[in-house]
Amino acid sequence: MSTPPLLAGLKVIDLTRNLPGPYATQWLADMGAQVTKVEPPAGDEARMLPPLFAGVNRGKAELRLDFRQEADKRKLLDLVAEADVLVEGFRPGVLADMGLGWPVLQACNAKLVLCSITGYGQDSPWAHRAGHDLNFMAMSGALDQMRTADGDIPMSNVQWGDLAGGTLTALVGLLAALLDAQRNGRGRHVDVSMTHGVFAQLVTPLATGQLWKPQLGHRPGPREDMLNGALPCYALYRTADERFLAVGALEHRFWLRFCEAVGRREWADLHWHRGLLPHSHASKALRVEVATLLAGRPLAHWADLFETVDACVTPVLTMDEAIGHPLFVQRASLREVDSGTGQRVQALELPVRFLDSR
């Protein structure tokens, strides 16, 4: 299904590099915006990884400018005069030092929306510090929430700080500012801190931490919170072939179906909706029983069993398995693009579908 050009006519200047900003403007381009990617003379560092560069920069016009040269700054301001949005990822103050700060850009185009994506925000105590996704995750407290039962913290290969904290937060902010500019004729400077963007995702642990802290004497740690393993009905379980099964039977009706499917109807009322407290001896004992049962068969057995049982139980797929699964094949979730090196590579499609009711 092709994406309708809902943002046709929108002109975007992208000064960002690597991942958070380019992916945000890629989504704008996928929805029809005209994006001009402006790189320094040496180019975007992401070009060293052609599949990554192609995946977040396809379909953009490309231009290289050296802002140390007055002629090139003038070229940028000429683009700004006709643009709707400018996205940048420099540290706070760098644009201003080059003579391209917000007052200059706003004077050039009063309706311009400037979106600045940084690690720690324009005015925080850490505004001028360098950082990467791992640092943003670490400082937000989100990384610690991933701590395993043995105390280790896994290194995620998905850049949640860059993407949830940066890309998606920036899209929300700049689209809201664009709507306001269309209504009121005045642009805004949108300040996106990736660390604060990740911090804003801590909705559940903030709430449940306040719920369980009086009982535990501390905020819940590994396997102590409702959604990180304390509930037997909502956990990851190892299978006989060292794979994992995701049991997400959070509501009692799904837990009942799970129990019936695995032949343990006697577990049906051992659920938090039926009074089983997450940190009780009975809850911990049940988790061991469930783990023992599921460890007795390979993942394929459980995946086949729950294929027709609506119990919120799914296999943990590898990336290759996900790519080949009908769930993603049917919605054409990948496309092939030119990597810029003469090779065709896979890139992700916009995940949003705009359904026409006509």
Side-chain angles (χ1 to χ4, degrees), residues 39-317:
E39 302 177 59
D44 185 340
E45 296 91 337
R47 286 184 180 274
M48 292 187 294
L49 300 171
L52 173 62
F53 184 84
V56 298
N57 289 294
R58 61 182 182 270
K60 300 177 184 178
E62 296 179 3
L63 179 66
R64 295 199 183 191
L65 297 177
D66 183 351
F67 296 146
R68 294 171 297 182
Q69 306 298 323
E70 288 300 321
D72 281 2
K73 284 197 286 188
R74 186 68 254 170
K75 289 177 183 178
L76 178 67
L77 292 175
D78 288 343
L79 291 174
V80 168
E82 301 296 326
D84 299 290
V85 180
L86 187 150
V87 184
E88 63 95 8
F90 296 110
R91 291 198 213 181
V94 171
L95 270 184
D97 290 344
M98 294 188 293
L100 296 168
W102 174 231
V104 173
L105 299 176
Q106 192 175 37
C108 184
N109 181 347
K111 292 184 66 174
L112 180 75
V113 170
L114 170 63
C115 181
S116 297
I117 305 173
T118 62
Y120 306 107
Q122 295 294 305
D123 59 358
S124 79
W126 279 32
H128 295 282
R129 290 203 186 196
H132 284 292
D133 173 86
L134 186 64
N135 307 116
F136 312 147
M137 290 287 291
M139 289 304 298
S140 69
L143 200 57
D144 187 69
Q145 290 297 314
M146 301 177 187
R147 192 181 296 274
T148 62
D150 59 7
D152 288 340
I153 299 179
M155 283 281 292
S156 173
N157 201 27
V158 179
Q159 289 69 47
W160 301 112
D162 284 351
L163 298 172
T167 297
L168 296 180
T169 305
L171 284 169
V172 171
L174 73 84
L175 288 172
L178 268 174
L179 182 59
D180 182 60
Q182 290 174 355
R183 290 172 172 171
N184 302 312
R186 185 189 68 218
R188 291 182 184 273
H189 185 184
V190 179
D191 172 13
V192 176
S193 160
M194 288 182 274
T195 301
H196 291 80
V198 178
F199 186 75
Q201 312 303 313
L202 302 180
V203 180
T204 302
L206 179 65
T208 55
Q210 294 173 79
L211 180 66
W212 297 117
K213 186 175 181 179
Q215 180 188 109
L216 296 170
H218 57 265
R219 285 191 178 273
R223 286 197 184 179
E224 290 184 333
D225 211 342
M226 295 181 69
L227 301 184
N228 77 350
L231 296 177
C233 65
Y234 196 90
L236 295 169
Y237 290 97
R238 192 184 301 268
T239 57
D241 51 350
E242 296 299 310
R243 298 289 302 274
F244 286 87
L245 189 71
V247 177
L250 193 60
E251 293 82 10
H252 183 257
R253 64 183 181 278
F254 296 127
W255 177 246
L256 177 59
R257 294 170 192 166
F258 169 84
C259 295
E260 291 174 342
V262 300
R264 293 293 190 275
R265 187 63 176 77
E266 66 273 19
W267 290 347
D269 285 330
L270 298 177
H271 190 270
W272 71 289
H273 278 183
R274 293 294 186 271
L276 183 67
L277 294 177
H279 310 106
S280 64
H281 175 76
S283 181
K284 294 176 181 178
L286 176 61
R287 198 184 194 287
V288 172
E289 290 185 60
V290 175
T292 300
L293 174 69
L294 297 180
R297 297 291 185 93
L299 181 65
H301 169 83
W302 300 118
D304 289 344
L305 176 64
F306 285 100
E307 180 66 27
T308 56
V309 179
D310 190 20
C312 302
V313 178
T314 55
V316 175
L317 299 183

Side-chain angles (χ1 to χ4, degrees), residues 12 14-30 35-39 44-62 159 162-163 167 335 337-339 345-350:
V12 179
D14 182 4
L15 304 186
T16 64
R17 308 173 206 171
N18 295 319
L19 180 58
Y23 201 35
T25 59
Q26 180 64 69
W27 279 21
L28 296 176
D30 287 344
V35 179
T36 300
K37 180 177 179 63
V38 179
E39 302 177 59
D44 185 340
E45 296 91 337
R47 286 184 180 274
M48 292 187 294
L49 300 171
L52 173 62
F53 184 84
V56 298
N57 289 294
R58 61 182 182 270
K60 300 177 184 178
E62 296 179 3
Q159 289 69 47
D162 284 351
L163 298 172
T167 297
R335 69 159 75 174
V337 299
D338 185 353
S339 69
V345 296
Q346 290 181 317
L348 294 161
E349 281 282 12
L350 185 76

